[in-house]
Amino acid sequence: ICYQAHRYENAVKYLLETLEIDEQFIYARFHLGLTYAQLKRHDEAIVELQRALELSGGGALIKAALGYAYANAGKRTEALAILAELQAAPQHRDTSPYYLATIYAGLGETAQALQALNAACEECYNWMIWLRSEPIFLPLHAEPQFQELLQRLRLA
């Protein structure tokens, strides 16, 4: 909740407390990595997301978050490699255009991010409910297409 509310220091505190209870809790590591990325603590973000990816057995959602963290850290080559891997993956329930949108947003490729988000909307991807508050997509908020998407989802 603190991550979605953009209260990153509080998020770090609570996520670290959670990991003291269960250091294997994938989603605490996942959100800690994303929070570190928003705080521009790039090395820590990448380490946490790599650990979450390892614990998850290679889940596409976490892989995409790692791609975003690489992009956010200016590691374009690594981000593009994950993007290509996700694009090459067969379409099944573990993949979504939403994942591509996160990496495109990190790379600053607005048109591609919006196209992927529209595709995720068409497939009714469940994480779209967080679109308005997801920090990854803050740079897209000024785009008319993004605002139209929020209206389509009744999140405006």
Side-chain angles (χ1 to χ4, degrees), residues 1-153:
I1 291 170
C2 290
Y3 169 76
Q4 291 291 334
H6 309 181
R7 294 180 13 227
Y8 305 123
E9 294 299 338
N10 286 349
V12 168
K13 175 183 179 260
Y14 295 126
L15 290 163
L16 289 174
E17 288 175 5
T18 300
L19 288 170
E20 285 178 18
I21 296 167
D22 182 0
E23 67 182 34
Q24 306 284 318
F25 187 30
I26 296 168
Y27 288 104
R29 293 210 177 271
F30 167 73
H31 280 101
L32 184 58
L34 288 175
T35 303
Y36 283 150
Q38 295 309 315
L39 290 168
K40 305 296 184 204
R41 292 167 62 175
H42 303 300
D43 292 340
E44 291 165 290
I46 291 166
V47 165
E48 287 300 333
L49 289 165
Q50 286 173 332
R51 181 71 177 125
L53 185 62
E54 177 185 307
L55 289 169
S56 76
L61 172 66
I62 298 171
K63 194 174 291 187
L66 179 59
Y68 169 78
Y70 281 135
N72 198 29
K75 298 183 179 206
R76 187 172 178 82
T77 302
E78 292 87 340
L80 290 173
I82 290 176
L83 182 65
E85 187 179 335
L86 290 172
Q87 288 171 322
Q91 293 299 309
H92 56 80
R93 67 185 193 121
D94 190 40
T95 63
S96 170
Y98 183 91
Y99 305 155
L100 306 179
T102 63
I103 300 172
Y104 283 130
L107 291 168
E109 296 181 11
T110 302
Q112 293 92 330
L114 289 167
Q115 182 180 11
L117 285 173
N118 274 297
C121 181
E122 292 300 318
E123 73 172 18
C124 299
Y125 183 64
N126 60 346
W127 279 52
M128 293 296 285
I129 63 169
W130 300 107
L131 188 62
R132 185 174 182 197
S133 62
E134 173 55 61
I136 289 170
F137 301 121
L138 284 177
L140 304 179
H141 281 224
E143 299 295 325
Q145 263 191 301
F146 187 83
Q147 293 302 316
E148 290 169 15
L149 184 55
L150 288 179
Q151 287 195 6
R152 261 182 41 217
L153 293 166

